[in-house]
Amino acid sequence: MSLHLLHQLAQSRLPVTVFPGKDVDGLRVLQLAGHIKATIPLPVRTLSGHDQPPATVTAVTPLGRQMVKRFPVLRSR
């Protein structure tokens, strides 16, 4: 999933705001791997659990661009 998200980000006009959900978790993985630069706020504790504020991707790094070239996303037929 993170590789697919990286492909989407590489084709997007940055900065991009990513709203809560699985994509924010994917951003964390990409950021830890050094593939993107992003501002990802910590989750906020609420009465019903946690709420994740939106994250902002500011750049796809050169390493991230190499990953996009080396591992193209296969399209299903």
Side-chain angles (χ1 to χ4, degrees), residues 4-72:
H4 182 66
L5 181 57
L6 181 59
H7 276 269
Q8 288 178 333
L9 292 170
Q11 296 173 3
S12 299
R13 186 172 179 177
L14 299 175
V16 171
T17 301
V18 177
F19 292 93
K22 294 179 187 176
D23 286 342
V24 174
D25 291 335
L27 290 181
R28 284 191 177 93
V29 172
L30 292 171
Q31 186 177 37
L32 287 171
H35 297 159
I36 63 166
K37 291 185 181 183
T39 302
I40 305 172
L42 294 173
V44 177
R45 186 176 294 223
T46 64
L47 292 175
S48 61
H50 289 86
D51 185 32
Q52 175 63 58
T56 303
V57 178
T58 55
V60 176
T61 66
L63 179 60
R65 298 231 179 252
Q66 285 180 355
M67 289 295 289
V68 167
K69 287 180 185 176
R70 291 185 184 186
F71 298 97

